[in-house]
Amino acid sequence: MHPAPVDSPPRTRDPRPARASAVLAALFAVLLVAVAVRWGPLMTLDRTLARTAHRWAVADPGPTHVNRVLTDWVWDPWTMRGLCAVAVLWVVWRHDAWRLGLWVAATCALGTLIQQGLKAAVDRARPVWPDPVDSAHYAAFPSGHAMTATVVCGLVLWLLHRFGARPFVWRTACALAAVSVVGVGLTRLWLGVHWPSDVLGGWLLAALTVTVAMTAYGRLAGPSHG
C-alpha cells in the first residue's frame, strides 16, 4: 500500500502589516481630529515646544544655519523624490521589475497628493514669530518634509529587503533612514516652520502610506513577483 499523499499546508498571509496599518490609521485619525478641533492640551504642548525650539534657534545661529542647509538641500522633498526615482530606476534596470518600480513611483506620488490635499483641508496656520529664522509656504499640517522623507525611506528599505540586500548594506540603509526621518522632523521644529504635531502627523501618515502600499502590492502581485 502506498501512503496517502499529504497536502502541503496552505500559505497564510502575514497579518502584521495589516495590523500595523490599522494602528497607524487610528493614531493618525485621532491626531487629525485633535488638530482640526484645536484640542487645548495639544495646542498648549505644541506652543510650548515650538517656543523652546525657536528660542534655541535664535540664540544659536550656527546650528540654525546647519539645519537650514539640511532641510533645504539634504532632506528637501525634491531631493527625497530624486532618491525615490533612483531606487525605481535601480529596480527596473537591475531586476527588470517594471511593475514594482511603477508601484513605488505611484506610491510616492500618491503620498504627495494626499499630503497636499490634507494641508488644504485642515488649513492650519504655521507658527508666526517676531524674529523668524526661516520661512515656509502653504498650510502646516501635516509636514511635507517629514512625510516625504519617511515615505521615500520606507519604500527604499522595502525594496532592499525584498531583493535581499547584504547585511552591511541593510544596516547602513536602516541607520541612514532613521537619521533622515528623525532629522528632517527636528529641522522643521528648530527652524520654527512647523508645530510638533505637524511633524508627528507627517510621520504617521507616511508610515501608513508605506504599510498600505506594501500590503496591497503583496496581495496583488505575490511575494515573488517584481
Side-chain angles (χ1 to χ4, degrees):
M1 293 180 63
H2 296 287
V6 178
D7 293 334
S8 60
R11 297 180 62 180
T12 58
R13 300 185 189 278
D14 187 352
R16 288 175 295 181
R19 291 173 182 171
S21 297
V23 172
L24 289 166
L27 291 174
F28 179 76
V30 170
L31 180 62
L32 175 61
V33 170
V35 169
V37 302
R38 299 184 59 81
W39 186 49
L42 178 62
M43 300 298 105
T44 300
L45 180 61
D46 270 346
R47 287 192 296 267
T48 300
L49 295 178
R51 286 169 182 164
T52 300
H54 180 67
R55 185 169 63 250
W56 293 344
V58 172
D60 294 303
T64 298
H65 177 71
V66 171
N67 277 273
R68 192 177 295 117
V69 170
L70 289 172
T71 202
D72 288 344
W73 296 97
V74 179
W75 295 320
D76 178 76
W78 284 107
T79 302
M80 301 309 296
R81 291 175 191 132
L83 173 61
C84 185
V86 170
V88 168
L89 291 175
W90 170 74
V91 166
V92 172
W93 175 72
R94 183 72 181 271
H95 299 280
D96 197 28
W98 287 91
R99 185 188 304 176
L100 180 57
L102 290 174
W103 189 269
V104 169
T107 299
C108 187
L110 180 61
T112 299
L113 291 176
I114 293 173
Q115 168 229 125
Q116 292 297 329
L118 276 173
K119 280 181 178 289
V122 177
D123 196 26
R124 188 186 196 187
R126 293 178 184 268
V128 177
W129 310 107
D131 49 353
V133 298
D134 202 356
S135 62
H137 305 289
Y138 309 112
F141 183 90
S143 166
H145 279 70
M147 182 171 177
T148 304
T150 307
V151 166
V152 171
C153 288
L155 291 173
V156 169
L157 290 179
W158 176 41
L159 293 177
L160 290 174
H161 182 267
R162 190 175 181 89
F163 290 106
R166 295 177 181 178
F168 173 77
V169 174
W170 173 250
R171 288 193 294 267
T172 302
C174 286
L176 290 174
V179 170
S180 297
V181 169
V182 175
V184 71
L186 294 180
T187 64
R188 306 310 283 167
L189 298 179
W190 183 275
L191 295 173
V193 293
H194 273 295
W195 305 105
S197 56
D198 299 336
V199 174
L200 178 59
W203 286 336
L204 288 174
L205 186 57
L208 175 60
T209 302
V210 173
T211 55
V212 168
M214 291 168 55
T215 303
Y217 186 83
R219 291 180 177 180
L220 291 173
S224 61
H225 288 76

